[in-house]
Amino acid sequence: MQPTAATPLHAEVPPLHGRSNPADVADLIATVEDDQVAACFRALEPEQRVDVFEHLGQHDRERLVQALGQPELAQVLHGMCSDDRAAFFRHLPEPSRLALLPLLTPAEQEDVAHLMAFPEESAGALMSTEFAAVPPDIPVERAIEELRALAPRRETIYTVYVVDSERRLLGAVSLVDLITAPAGSLVREVMDPDVVALPADADREEVARTIAKYDLMAVPIVDPERRLLGIVTEDDALDVIELEKSEDAQLASGIAPDPAGTPYSQTPARLLVRRRVVWLLVLLLTALVTARVVAAFEATLASVVALAFFIPVVTGSGGNTGTQSATLMIQALATGDVSVGDWARVFIKELLIGAALGAVLATVIYLIGLAWPDARQVAPVVGATMVAVIIWANLLGALLPLLLRRLGIDPAVAGAPVVSTVVDASGLLIYFGVARLLL
Amino acid sequence: MQPTAATPLHAEVPPLHGRSNPADVADLIATVEDDQVAACFRALEPEQRVDVFEHLGQHDRERLVQALGQPELAQVLHGMCSDDRAAFFRHLPEPSRLALLPLLTPAEQEDVAHLMAFPEESAGALMSTEFAAVPPDIPVERAIEELRALAPRRETIYTVYVVDSERRLLGAVSLVDLITAPAGSLVREVMDPDVVALPADADREEVARTIAKYDLMAVPIVDPERRLLGIVTEDDALDVIELEKSEDAQLASGIAPDPAGTPYSQTPARLLVRRRVVWLLVLLLTALVTARVVAAFEATLASVVALAFFIPVVTGSGGNTGTQSATLMIQALATGDVSVGDWARVFIKELLIGAALGAVLATVIYLIGLAWPDARQVAPVVGATMVAVIIWANLLGALLPLLLRRLGIDPAVAGAPVVSTVVDASGLLIYFGVARLLL
């Protein structure tokens, strides 16, 4: 990632869009004080309000719920896309949810309840029920006529799904294919029957990956009988990937992710402390094992104090090496490049890599130790330890994510803090073991 | 990220797509041995070959370059999208590039040279020159007629750009708006003049963020005179985000990213060693400062050996805390939530957070130290140190990314290894300073 300007327009380019863009207006509302937010929202044209509301984060949406009257809220809720509306209700605190549900029509209430029943991170929770579907045996001209009428009430009509009388998915056809089809063709003749579909319980990351892999504009979600339940569009997939990206990085650094994805500047310090302190405490208690290891070798340490100089060097190098291999493996697992069954191949590859890295680092630290009078005595110990610790840390970093995946735990928790804390204790055990052997 | 199945289809759902999908065929070709790859590719229908080639990674594309004849390669190259073709030539080794360029038509050669002239990670390098553009003063029916003819040779016709006679961007109109416009309307009347555009030197991550923020299907790229140069489509933005995601994580863990994004399983061990060893060596040499710090306090340490027990606890907790705040700040900078100018606000917020975290961790370690006979003497030192180190590490982790961004360096390098190595030396300086003061 390179440093980028805050504005999407370069200084030399004259402004090509004004403040009328819903995403920009939403940004503006996010900066307004609580007592101004309703007035600001009311200043919008009624037809703009839904678009702006959909671009707001959950925090600002809830501020508006507090500030606006029921008729205004009802108008916004009626206009929202079904997936956005369900996500909004999902993240709402129970009392607000109960207060707002009666503002919806019975059909909308049923739709929200239906979508909220799917687990939080599943395809079902992400999908919109506003897709365009046509029967197979009508001419393309009639399909286009139907789409023209449907367009305003559908998430997308660029991909049109072909379903039978029981809503079973038969195929898909793009709007371009309909438009460019020879006059009089039937939908069935121009549709693609090999359509990629996902079940409603698929993980949202799988949804995003499928859309990216097959370059889809939307992926249909089906039930076990192949009945079309909804669609997830490409822009929702993009949002998911952005959210997963930050969640994974936070998990890897020992921070409990925030499901609503509230930005840093809007998260109170109190909440950040709560999301961070648990892992820090767990790791602190784990680090006491390391303290015990050092204590067990008190006598060795008392006779050769120079050994203490290299404690941070040994633990640091081990932690850095393990962090590297863990990062590569977490990524390889996430993209499906490596699976748990490949552990033997990973073991051999990382054994070789660890040996090569260990040899380089050990040689450097050994030569430096020899050149440092106070440390000359322990140089062979540090050198020998370095080879072993690097190989061990490298294997641990690579295999821990595989083990976690095998146990059904998200491998992203095998981030730097966890790996280096585990490596610290075992690394120092190796260090003092070698010291007792050589000195 | 949750563990996901390797296949996009759940076991209960019958297969909805066969092996005919280009992305699946590409996956298959990636697993074939070098001497089989040409035969496998030739088994495809000629019209499928371009699609499959576009879904292959650079490594497999280059295997095909070696294996296929010139007429076959020429046919594939002619069929490729202009952005894909340029990216392919960009990553090709010089000799192959010179051998393949003559297979293109003069116009294609010019297009490749034009696109390759933009810097690697810029909007210009990512854009396709195959966009659909129409003049403003024709009726929508004629525009649709033109699009119908253009469709097969354009990346997308779902967003149509309206340009004047000098190719200056006047607005954009979606295919849906054209189709649903009242008969006889002019393009000018239905277009949106507030179109978001980016300059060709915008960073590719800014492109992806703009597409995500404004929910665009494509973003137009313009020159300083607002002339339309090309477009970047949503699926390319998705690919960029995936690539940046893994590059950032690798940088943060001290791995030099691979520009071609070769998957782990296809990267030789030798190359992985080379991408990892440099940072490990830099950090090893930096860690020697830490060794020097410990050595400077040799006398203190010799008189109270129990101090050594907590060296890994102090460095580990500092590193973990700094990694957390660095991760949050790298993300906040990347999304534009925080900018360099906010450093004072960040300083105060992180000072409070660090104090709270430090107080909790210090209390816990102090009580544990008291309860451990060998360590009772040093418990007050460890407790007092912990407060100071956590506050310091937390501030360092939060402010280092801001400093790097200010210096024009990618803040993602402020990952766990770098932060913890810097924290190690300063943390131990605090530790032994406090020890000398209290003991």
Side-chain angles (χ1 to χ4, degrees):
Chain A
M1 156 177 58
Q2 291 299 312
T4 55
T7 153
L9 279 167
H10 200 258
E12 281 108 86
V13 182
L16 300 178
H17 64 105
R19 272 293 177 195
S20 65
N21 193 301
D24 291 323
V25 178
D27 279 354
L28 203 67
I29 287 183
T31 66
V32 166
E33 295 298 321
D34 284 358
D35 56 347
Q36 294 295 314
V37 76
C40 192
F41 192 72
R42 286 191 187 112
L44 297 171
E45 305 285 324
E47 59 270 27
Q48 268 200 303
R49 292 183 187 172
V50 173
D51 271 356
V52 170
F53 194 82
E54 290 189 330
H55 275 92
L56 285 171
Q58 187 74 11
H59 174 74
D60 291 308
R61 290 178 178 183
E62 289 178 25
R63 294 203 302 160
L64 278 172
V65 167
Q66 300 305 323
L68 291 178
Q70 293 215 338
E72 292 164 313
L73 284 171
Q75 183 241 339
V76 169
L77 293 175
H78 293 319
M80 287 177 84
C81 295
S82 75
D83 51 347
D84 245 358
R85 189 166 48 212
F88 170 60
F89 274 94
R90 183 186 290 273
H91 292 121
L92 221 46
E94 191 72 20
S96 308
R97 196 189 293 164
L98 295 177
L100 290 186
L101 264 179
L103 302 183
L104 301 180
T105 67
E108 286 167 351
Q109 289 186 25
E110 204 178 306
D111 187 59
V112 167
H114 170 63
L115 291 177
M116 275 181 59
F118 291 103
E120 166 103 41
E121 304 206 337
S122 69
L126 205 63
M127 74 187 181
S128 161
T129 51
E130 286 143 347
F131 49 83
V134 295
D137 292 315
I138 59 171
V140 292
E141 290 81 1
R142 229 190 84 205
I144 294 172
E145 271 318 307
E146 287 194 11
L147 293 175
R148 213 187 282 247
L150 279 176
R153 288 173 292 115
R154 290 296 173 257
E155 181 114 350
T156 181
I157 64 160
Y158 292 125
T159 305
V160 180
Y161 300 94
V162 186
V163 295
D164 66 15
S165 55
E166 288 168 38
R167 280 198 109 62
R168 272 175 227 268
L169 185 63
L170 300 176
V173 59
S174 73
L175 183 58
V176 168
D177 288 339
L178 287 178
I179 288 183
T180 55
S185 325
L186 294 180
V187 168
R188 179 189 291 283
E189 294 161 5
V190 294
M191 78 177 189
D192 175 11
D194 280 338
V195 54
V196 179
L198 287 171
D201 61 355
D203 185 77
R204 63 176 181 181
E205 207 179 350
E206 194 178 346
V207 175
R209 210 159 55 221
T210 303
I211 290 180
K213 176 176 175 187
Y214 296 101
D215 284 344
L216 303 175
M217 310 189 68
V219 66
I221 309 297
V222 294
D223 72 6
E225 277 77 47
R226 271 181 85 166
R227 276 186 299 257
L228 186 55
L229 300 173
I231 58 168
V232 179
T233 50
E234 198 175 8
D235 53 335
D236 294 330
L238 242 152
D239 294 343
V240 163
I241 289 181
E242 284 283 13
L243 203 64
E244 288 279 352
K245 178 177 154 180
S246 68
E247 275 199 15
D248 281 1
Q250 292 183 8
L251 212 53
S253 63
I255 304 170
D258 163 35
T262 318
Y264 169 84
S265 66
Q266 286 174 34
T267 312
R270 178 178 39 78
L271 206 68
L272 285 169
V273 170
R274 210 186 313 154
R275 285 171 56 201
R276 294 174 55 180
V277 76
V278 178
W279 262 115
L280 286 182
L281 276 174
V282 170
L283 294 170
L284 179 71
L285 296 178
T286 318
L288 286 172
V289 177
T290 321
R292 282 281 183 192
V293 168
V294 182
F297 291 92
E298 191 173 0
T300 314
L301 198 55
S303 66
V304 191
V305 177
L307 279 174
F309 302 174
F310 293 95
I311 290 179
V313 177
V314 168
T315 57
S317 298
N320 295 341
T321 308
T323 301
Q324 286 186 337
S325 57
T327 301
L328 289 173
M329 208 47 54
I330 291 169
Q331 289 184 358
L333 281 171
T335 56
D337 176 41
V338 163
S339 64
V340 176
D342 297 328
W343 69 269
R345 210 170 328 144
V346 168
F347 180 88
I348 291 169
K349 189 169 183 174
E350 291 301 327
L351 190 67
L352 293 173
I353 292 176
L357 293 173
V360 174
L361 295 189
T363 307
V364 171
I365 197 76
Y366 175 67
L367 293 176
I368 289 174
L370 281 188
W372 181 4
D374 288 352
R376 185 160 309 148
Q377 189 192 357
V378 299
V381 177
V382 177
T385 300
M386 200 56 95
V387 180
V389 167
I390 298 294
I391 292 178
W392 164 242
N394 194 51
L395 285 177
L396 194 87
L399 298 178
L400 189 62
L402 292 175
L403 177 69
L404 291 172
R405 164 64 58 93
R406 185 77 187 75
L407 297 175
I409 302 171
D410 186 345
V413 302
V418 172
V419 168
S420 61
T421 303
V422 175
V423 165
D424 280 1
S426 44
L428 289 180
L429 207 57
I430 296 175
Y431 184 42
F432 288 109
V434 172
R436 206 178 259 177
L437 216 72
L438 291 191
L439 293 180
Chain B
M1 153 176 66
Q2 292 299 313
T4 55
T7 153
L9 281 165
H10 202 259
E12 280 110 86
V13 182
L16 300 177
H17 63 105
R19 271 294 177 194
S20 65
N21 192 302
D24 291 324
V25 178
D27 279 354
L28 202 67
I29 286 184
T31 65
V32 165
E33 296 296 324
D34 285 358
D35 56 346
Q36 293 295 313
V37 75
C40 192
F41 193 73
R42 285 192 186 112
L44 298 171
E45 304 286 323
E47 60 268 28
Q48 268 202 305
R49 291 183 187 173
V50 173
D51 271 356
V52 169
F53 193 82
E54 289 189 331
H55 275 92
L56 286 171
Q58 188 73 12
H59 174 75
D60 290 308
R61 289 179 177 182
E62 288 178 26
R63 292 204 301 161
L64 278 172
V65 167
Q66 300 304 322
L68 291 177
Q70 294 215 337
E72 291 164 312
L73 284 171
Q75 183 241 338
V76 170
L77 293 174
H78 292 318
M80 288 177 84
C81 295
S82 75
D83 51 347
D84 245 359
R85 188 166 48 212
F88 170 60
F89 274 95
R90 185 185 287 276
H91 292 121
L92 221 47
E94 191 70 21
S96 308
R97 195 188 294 164
L98 294 177
L100 290 186
L101 264 179
L103 301 183
L104 301 180
T105 66
E108 287 167 350
Q109 290 186 23
E110 204 177 308
D111 187 61
V112 166
H114 171 63
L115 292 177
M116 275 181 60
F118 292 102
E120 166 105 41
E121 304 206 336
S122 69
L126 205 61
M127 74 188 181
S128 161
T129 51
E130 284 142 350
F131 49 83
V134 295
D137 293 315
I138 58 171
V140 291
E141 290 81 2
R142 228 192 83 205
I144 294 172
E145 270 318 306
E146 285 194 12
L147 293 175
R148 213 187 283 246
L150 279 175
R153 287 172 294 115
R154 291 295 173 255
E155 181 114 350
T156 180
I157 63 161
Y158 292 125
T159 304
V160 181
Y161 299 94
V162 185
V163 294
D164 67 14
S165 57
E166 287 168 40
R167 279 197 111 62
R168 271 175 228 268
L169 185 63
L170 300 176
V173 59
S174 74
L175 184 59
V176 169
D177 288 339
L178 286 178
I179 288 181
T180 55
S185 324
L186 293 181
V187 168
R188 179 188 290 283
E189 294 160 5
V190 293
M191 78 177 190
D192 175 10
D194 280 338
V195 53
V196 178
L198 287 171
D201 61 354
D203 184 79
R204 64 177 181 181
E205 207 179 349
E206 196 179 345
V207 175
R209 209 157 58 221
T210 304
I211 290 179
K213 176 176 175 186
Y214 296 101
D215 284 343
L216 303 174
M217 311 188 68
V219 66
I221 309 298
V222 294
D223 72 8
E225 278 76 47
R226 272 180 84 168
R227 277 187 298 259
L228 185 55
L229 299 174
I231 58 169
V232 180
T233 49
E234 198 174 7
D235 54 335
D236 294 330
L238 241 152
D239 294 343
V240 163
I241 289 180
E242 284 283 14
L243 203 63
E244 289 279 353
K245 178 176 154 180
S246 69
E247 276 201 14
D248 280 1
Q250 292 182 7
L251 211 52
S253 64
I255 304 170
D258 163 33
T262 318
Y264 170 83
S265 65
Q266 285 174 33
T267 312
R270 178 178 39 79
L271 206 66
L272 285 169
V273 170
R274 210 186 312 153
R275 285 170 57 200
R276 295 174 55 181
V277 77
V278 178
W279 263 115
L280 287 182
L281 276 175
V282 170
L283 294 169
L284 179 71
L285 296 178
T286 317
L288 285 173
V289 177
T290 321
R292 282 282 184 189
V293 168
V294 182
F297 291 92
E298 189 173 2
T300 315
L301 197 56
S303 66
V304 192
V305 177
L307 280 174
F309 302 175
F310 293 94
I311 290 179
V313 177
V314 168
T315 57
S317 298
N320 294 342
T321 308
T323 301
Q324 287 186 336
S325 57
T327 301
L328 290 174
M329 207 48 52
I330 291 169
Q331 288 184 0
L333 281 171
T335 57
D337 176 41
V338 163
S339 65
V340 177
D342 297 328
W343 69 269
R345 211 170 328 145
V346 168
F347 180 88
I348 292 170
K349 189 168 184 175
E350 290 301 326
L351 190 66
L352 293 173
I353 292 176
L357 294 173
V360 174
L361 295 189
T363 308
V364 171
I365 196 76
Y366 175 67
L367 292 176
I368 290 173
L370 281 188
W372 181 4
D374 289 350
R376 185 160 308 147
Q377 189 193 359
V378 299
V381 177
V382 177
T385 300
M386 200 55 98
V387 180
V389 167
I390 297 293
I391 293 179
W392 164 241
N394 194 52
L395 285 177
L396 194 87
L399 298 178
L400 189 61
L402 291 176
L403 178 70
L404 291 172
R405 163 65 58 95
R406 184 78 188 74
L407 297 175
I409 302 171
D410 186 346
V413 302
V418 172
V419 168
S420 61
T421 302
V422 174
V423 166
D424 280 1
S426 44
L428 289 180
L429 206 57
I430 297 175
Y431 183 43
F432 288 110
V434 172
R436 206 179 258 177
L437 216 71
L438 293 191
L439 293 179

